Short mmCIF file of all heavy atoms in Angstrom, two decimals:
data_model
loop_
_atom_site.label_atom_id
_atom_site.label_comp_id
_atom_site.label_asym_id
_atom_site.label_seq_id
_atom_site.Cartn_x
_atom_site.Cartn_y
_atom_site.Cartn_z
N VAL Q 200 0.31 -5.43 10.55
CA VAL Q 200 0.06 -4.93 9.21
C VAL Q 200 0.62 -3.45 9.02
O VAL Q 200 1.06 -3.18 7.79
CB VAL Q 200 -1.53 -4.92 9.00
CG1 VAL Q 200 -1.88 -4.44 7.54
CG2 VAL Q 200 -2.05 -6.32 9.25
N THR Q 201 0.62 -2.64 10.07
CA THR Q 201 1.27 -1.29 9.90
C THR Q 201 2.68 -1.45 9.58
O THR Q 201 3.31 -0.75 8.75
CB THR Q 201 1.05 -0.47 11.12
OG1 THR Q 201 -0.34 -0.40 11.42
CG2 THR Q 201 1.71 0.84 10.99
N GLN Q 202 3.45 -2.45 10.18
CA GLN Q 202 4.84 -2.69 9.96
C GLN Q 202 5.05 -3.06 8.53
O GLN Q 202 5.96 -2.71 7.90
CB GLN Q 202 5.29 -3.76 10.78
CG GLN Q 202 6.87 -3.97 10.75
CD GLN Q 202 7.64 -2.75 11.13
OE1 GLN Q 202 7.65 -2.25 12.30
NE2 GLN Q 202 8.17 -1.92 10.14
N LEU Q 203 4.07 -4.03 8.01
CA LEU Q 203 4.18 -4.37 6.58
C LEU Q 203 4.05 -3.23 5.73
O LEU Q 203 4.79 -2.98 4.71
CB LEU Q 203 3.03 -5.47 6.39
CG LEU Q 203 2.75 -5.78 4.83
CD1 LEU Q 203 3.84 -6.41 4.22
CD2 LEU Q 203 1.50 -6.56 4.68
N VAL Q 204 3.16 -2.38 5.86
CA VAL Q 204 2.92 -1.15 5.02
C VAL Q 204 4.14 -0.26 5.10
O VAL Q 204 4.67 0.28 4.04
CB VAL Q 204 1.60 -0.49 5.44
CG1 VAL Q 204 1.45 0.92 4.66
CG2 VAL Q 204 0.45 -1.35 5.33
N ALA Q 205 4.70 -0.04 6.40
CA ALA Q 205 5.92 0.87 6.47
C ALA Q 205 7.04 0.31 5.84
O ALA Q 205 7.73 0.99 5.15
CB ALA Q 205 6.12 1.04 8.05
N LEU Q 206 7.19 -1.06 5.89
CA LEU Q 206 8.45 -1.65 5.18
C LEU Q 206 8.26 -1.55 3.69
O LEU Q 206 9.19 -1.30 3.05
CB LEU Q 206 8.59 -3.06 5.69
CG LEU Q 206 9.07 -3.24 7.06
CD1 LEU Q 206 9.14 -4.77 7.54
CD2 LEU Q 206 10.54 -2.82 7.32
N SER Q 207 7.07 -1.84 3.20
CA SER Q 207 6.82 -1.78 1.75
C SER Q 207 7.01 -0.36 1.31
O SER Q 207 7.46 -0.13 0.20
CB SER Q 207 5.31 -2.15 1.50
OG SER Q 207 5.13 -3.55 1.92
N HIS Q 208 6.59 0.71 2.02
CA HIS Q 208 6.68 2.02 1.64
C HIS Q 208 8.19 2.50 1.55
O HIS Q 208 8.61 3.18 0.58
CB HIS Q 208 5.93 2.88 2.58
CG HIS Q 208 6.06 4.41 2.21
ND1 HIS Q 208 5.35 4.98 1.30
CD2 HIS Q 208 6.86 5.34 2.82
CE1 HIS Q 208 5.73 6.31 1.17
NE2 HIS Q 208 6.56 6.55 2.20
N ARG Q 209 9.03 1.89 2.55
CA ARG Q 209 10.36 2.30 2.61
C ARG Q 209 11.27 1.51 1.66
O ARG Q 209 12.17 2.09 1.00
CB ARG Q 209 10.84 2.29 3.96
CG ARG Q 209 12.26 2.84 4.16
CD ARG Q 209 12.50 2.92 5.60
NE ARG Q 209 13.92 3.53 5.83
CZ ARG Q 209 14.48 3.79 7.02
NH1 ARG Q 209 13.80 3.54 8.16
NH2 ARG Q 209 15.57 4.36 7.07
N TYR Q 210 10.93 0.12 1.56
CA TYR Q 210 12.01 -0.70 0.93
C TYR Q 210 11.41 -1.37 -0.44
O TYR Q 210 12.05 -2.27 -0.98
CB TYR Q 210 12.59 -1.70 1.87
CG TYR Q 210 13.22 -1.10 2.93
CD1 TYR Q 210 12.71 -1.09 4.26
CD2 TYR Q 210 14.50 -0.50 2.86
CE1 TYR Q 210 13.45 -0.62 5.41
CE2 TYR Q 210 15.21 0.08 3.83
CZ TYR Q 210 14.59 -0.09 5.14
OH TYR Q 210 15.33 0.51 6.18
N GLY Q 211 10.13 -1.07 -0.65
CA GLY Q 211 9.49 -1.73 -1.83
C GLY Q 211 9.27 -3.16 -1.70
O GLY Q 211 8.76 -3.64 -0.70
N VAL Q 212 9.49 -3.91 -2.71
CA VAL Q 212 9.13 -5.40 -2.72
C VAL Q 212 9.96 -6.06 -1.57
O VAL Q 212 9.40 -6.99 -0.88
CB VAL Q 212 9.52 -6.09 -4.20
CG1 VAL Q 212 9.41 -7.48 -3.99
CG2 VAL Q 212 8.64 -5.42 -5.22
N ARG Q 213 11.17 -5.84 -1.39
CA ARG Q 213 11.91 -6.48 -0.31
C ARG Q 213 11.34 -6.19 1.11
O ARG Q 213 11.26 -7.02 1.89
CB ARG Q 213 13.45 -6.07 -0.40
CG ARG Q 213 14.20 -6.54 -1.57
CD ARG Q 213 15.61 -6.22 -1.55
NE ARG Q 213 15.85 -4.76 -1.52
CZ ARG Q 213 16.89 -4.06 -1.34
NH1 ARG Q 213 17.99 -4.76 -1.05
NH2 ARG Q 213 16.86 -2.75 -1.35
N GLY Q 214 11.06 -5.02 1.27
CA GLY Q 214 10.30 -4.52 2.53
C GLY Q 214 9.00 -5.32 2.67
O GLY Q 214 8.65 -5.85 3.67
N GLY Q 215 8.24 -5.40 1.55
CA GLY Q 215 7.03 -6.16 1.61
C GLY Q 215 7.12 -7.62 2.08
O GLY Q 215 6.45 -8.19 2.79
N LEU Q 216 8.16 -8.19 1.45
CA LEU Q 216 8.42 -9.61 1.79
C LEU Q 216 8.82 -9.80 3.24
O LEU Q 216 8.30 -10.71 3.91
CB LEU Q 216 9.59 -10.18 0.79
CG LEU Q 216 9.12 -10.40 -0.65
CD1 LEU Q 216 10.49 -10.76 -1.43
CD2 LEU Q 216 8.11 -11.37 -0.73
N GLY Q 217 9.64 -8.81 3.63
CA GLY Q 217 9.95 -8.83 5.21
C GLY Q 217 8.71 -8.64 6.08
O GLY Q 217 8.58 -9.34 7.08
N GLY Q 218 7.85 -7.76 5.69
CA GLY Q 218 6.56 -7.61 6.33
C GLY Q 218 5.73 -8.87 6.31
O GLY Q 218 5.06 -9.22 7.40
N LEU Q 219 5.63 -9.50 5.32
CA LEU Q 219 4.94 -10.82 5.21
C LEU Q 219 5.54 -11.82 6.18
O LEU Q 219 4.65 -12.65 6.61
CB LEU Q 219 4.91 -11.32 3.74
CG LEU Q 219 3.96 -10.48 2.70
CD1 LEU Q 219 4.17 -11.05 1.30
CD2 LEU Q 219 2.56 -10.53 3.16
N ILE Q 220 6.78 -12.01 6.25
CA ILE Q 220 7.48 -12.86 7.16
C ILE Q 220 6.95 -12.48 8.55
O ILE Q 220 6.59 -13.42 9.34
CB ILE Q 220 8.91 -12.85 7.04
CG1 ILE Q 220 9.29 -13.37 5.71
CG2 ILE Q 220 9.58 -13.52 8.15
CD1 ILE Q 220 10.78 -13.16 5.37
N ILE Q 221 6.91 -11.33 8.99
CA ILE Q 221 6.37 -10.88 10.23
C ILE Q 221 5.00 -11.23 10.55
O ILE Q 221 4.51 -11.82 11.57
CB ILE Q 221 6.53 -9.40 10.47
CG1 ILE Q 221 8.02 -8.95 10.39
CG2 ILE Q 221 5.90 -8.85 11.66
CD1 ILE Q 221 8.18 -7.45 10.48
N LEU Q 222 4.13 -11.05 9.53
CA LEU Q 222 2.65 -11.46 9.66
C LEU Q 222 2.62 -13.06 9.70
O LEU Q 222 1.70 -13.53 10.43
CB LEU Q 222 1.87 -10.97 8.39
CG LEU Q 222 1.70 -9.53 8.20
CD1 LEU Q 222 0.66 -9.18 7.18
CD2 LEU Q 222 1.39 -8.78 9.50
N ALA Q 223 3.37 -13.86 8.96
CA ALA Q 223 3.39 -15.21 8.99
C ALA Q 223 3.71 -15.66 10.51
O ALA Q 223 3.13 -16.57 11.02
CB ALA Q 223 4.29 -15.82 7.95
N ALA Q 224 4.77 -15.07 11.14
CA ALA Q 224 5.16 -15.32 12.42
C ALA Q 224 4.00 -15.04 13.45
O ALA Q 224 3.91 -15.65 14.57
CB ALA Q 224 6.44 -14.57 12.90
N LEU Q 225 3.17 -13.91 13.17
CA LEU Q 225 2.08 -13.61 14.11
C LEU Q 225 0.83 -14.45 13.97
O LEU Q 225 0.01 -14.57 14.87
CB LEU Q 225 1.66 -12.09 13.86
CG LEU Q 225 2.81 -11.11 14.21
CD1 LEU Q 225 2.28 -9.71 13.84
CD2 LEU Q 225 2.93 -11.02 15.67
N ALA Q 226 0.64 -14.99 12.68
CA ALA Q 226 -0.66 -15.65 12.42
C ALA Q 226 -1.15 -16.61 13.45
O ALA Q 226 -2.20 -16.60 13.89
CB ALA Q 226 -0.54 -16.30 11.05
N CYS Q 227 -0.22 -17.66 13.86
CA CYS Q 227 -0.72 -18.67 14.73
C CYS Q 227 -0.99 -18.11 16.20
O CYS Q 227 -1.96 -18.49 16.77
CB CYS Q 227 0.35 -19.77 14.77
SG CYS Q 227 0.34 -20.85 13.44
N PRO Q 228 -0.05 -17.24 16.84
CA PRO Q 228 -0.41 -16.82 18.03
C PRO Q 228 -1.60 -15.81 18.05
O PRO Q 228 -2.25 -15.57 19.16
CB PRO Q 228 0.82 -15.84 18.43
CG PRO Q 228 1.87 -16.48 17.60
CD PRO Q 228 1.33 -16.84 16.29
N LEU Q 229 -2.10 -15.32 16.96
CA LEU Q 229 -3.32 -14.46 16.93
C LEU Q 229 -4.50 -15.39 16.77
O LEU Q 229 -5.64 -14.80 16.89
CB LEU Q 229 -3.26 -13.67 15.74
CG LEU Q 229 -2.17 -12.44 15.85
CD1 LEU Q 229 -2.09 -11.69 14.50
CD2 LEU Q 229 -2.61 -11.45 16.94
N VAL Q 230 -4.50 -16.63 16.39
CA VAL Q 230 -5.54 -17.48 16.16
C VAL Q 230 -6.55 -17.64 17.46
O VAL Q 230 -7.70 -17.43 17.26
CB VAL Q 230 -5.14 -18.91 15.67
CG1 VAL Q 230 -6.32 -19.81 15.74
CG2 VAL Q 230 -4.70 -18.76 14.26
N PRO Q 231 -6.00 -17.90 18.59
CA PRO Q 231 -6.93 -18.14 19.75
C PRO Q 231 -7.83 -16.96 20.10
O PRO Q 231 -8.99 -17.23 20.48
CB PRO Q 231 -5.97 -18.45 20.93
CG PRO Q 231 -4.66 -18.83 20.24
CD PRO Q 231 -4.50 -18.17 19.01
N ALA Q 232 -7.26 -15.84 19.98
CA ALA Q 232 -8.09 -14.63 20.49
C ALA Q 232 -8.27 -13.49 19.52
O ALA Q 232 -9.02 -12.58 19.80
CB ALA Q 232 -7.48 -14.18 21.89
N SER Q 233 -7.52 -13.43 18.46
CA SER Q 233 -7.43 -12.24 17.72
C SER Q 233 -7.54 -12.54 16.21
O SER Q 233 -6.79 -11.89 15.32
CB SER Q 233 -6.19 -11.42 18.00
OG SER Q 233 -6.11 -11.12 19.30
N TYR Q 234 -8.35 -13.51 15.82
CA TYR Q 234 -8.75 -13.64 14.47
C TYR Q 234 -7.74 -14.22 13.40
O TYR Q 234 -8.06 -14.55 12.20
CB TYR Q 234 -9.37 -12.46 13.80
CG TYR Q 234 -10.39 -11.75 14.66
CD1 TYR Q 234 -10.20 -10.61 15.48
CD2 TYR Q 234 -11.70 -12.50 14.55
CE1 TYR Q 234 -11.31 -10.27 16.18
CE2 TYR Q 234 -12.68 -11.94 15.34
CZ TYR Q 234 -12.58 -10.74 16.21
OH TYR Q 234 -13.57 -10.27 16.78
N GLY Q 235 -6.45 -14.49 13.90
CA GLY Q 235 -5.57 -15.19 13.09
C GLY Q 235 -5.26 -14.56 11.71
O GLY Q 235 -5.36 -13.37 11.53
N SER Q 236 -5.09 -15.41 10.65
CA SER Q 236 -4.85 -14.97 9.31
C SER Q 236 -6.01 -14.18 8.69
O SER Q 236 -5.73 -13.20 7.94
CB SER Q 236 -4.45 -16.11 8.46
OG SER Q 236 -5.40 -17.12 8.41
N ALA Q 237 -7.25 -14.56 9.06
CA ALA Q 237 -8.38 -13.81 8.53
C ALA Q 237 -8.29 -12.47 8.96
O ALA Q 237 -8.68 -11.45 8.15
CB ALA Q 237 -9.62 -14.59 8.94
#
């Protein structure tokens, strides 16, 4: 999420979309122990 905010701050909408792709990639591996998408 910090990466999402950093990319959004630096590159605007395009950076935000890139950050969302990173979060989408993290969501499943975070499910078992670290709350996933929630």
Side-chain angles (χ1 to χ4, degrees):
V200 180
T201 304
Q202 187 64 71
L203 167 64
V204 177
L206 289 172
S207 298
H208 177 75
R209 186 169 183 179
Y210 300 109
V212 174
R213 289 182 300 170
L216 291 174
L219 289 175
I220 292 173
I221 293 173
L222 295 192
L225 290 174
C227 286
L229 288 171
V230 168
S233 301
Y234 302 104
S236 57

